Amino acid sequence: MLNFSLRDALGELTLTEITSLLSISSKYEFQDIRTIVTQYLESLFPNTLKDYKASKFHEKMPPPDQLFDLIVVAHRCELPTILPVLYYLCARLPMQDIVERLGTFPAYLMKNLLLCRSEICDYYGHFIIEEGLQSSSTGAWGILRICESKHCLQK
């Protein structure tokens, strides 16, 4: 009964509330809740072109702070499958929105995002249109290595 109710309720929650559920369920090892939240987030930030287009979530962009917060939590909770789309959405933001988070977004993630912003937009813009996002068995970081720069998302 909890699974069904939680699945239904997630659609009514804000991205901030969903991010909090991911964090809490991971920290306290509530695997059933984490699984439901993870599946929901993967439906919002899918790894195939077909699912990305179908989700339409990217058309009603949440506030930038919610995207940045989710990136931090996804890293901490080891949920790499949603990172490529999250980084792409953040890279598409106006530079002012990115710079405003200099003090709150972890420095190494911000450095990578800023150094690779144009490469991410160019690569993923083409990739989403042409081929779709594909997750790798090693996680999203293998996908994010998109330029030859040693600074570009190599952490």
Side-chain angles (χ1 to χ4, degrees), residues 28-94:
Y28 295 107
E29 298 181 11
F30 298 138
Q31 292 305 320
D32 291 341
I33 295 172
R34 180 187 157 88
T35 299
I36 294 167
V37 172
T38 296
Q39 290 170 349
Y40 184 74
L41 286 169
E42 288 173 342
S43 75
L44 295 180
F45 307 103
N47 60 9
T48 66
L49 177 60
K50 178 183 174 187
D51 293 340
Y52 180 80
K53 287 181 177 179
S55 80
K56 305 242 186 257
F57 184 78
H58 57 279
E59 294 176 1
K60 54 180 180 182
M61 284 281 288
D65 59 320
Q66 293 180 16
L67 293 173
F68 283 94
D69 289 346
L70 183 53
I71 288 175
V72 172
V73 172
H75 277 284
R76 188 178 68 236
C77 296
E78 299 177 359
L79 184 58
T81 55
I82 65 173
L83 289 171
V85 172
L86 283 170
Y87 274 104
Y88 174 70
L89 293 173
C90 287
R92 289 180 44 210
L93 293 169

Side-chain angles (χ1 to χ4, degrees), residues 107-118:
Y108 77 97
L109 296 177
M110 180 60 77
K111 178 182 173 185
N112 291 335
L113 179 61
L114 290 174
L115 289 173
C116 300
R117 185 173 183 259
S118 65

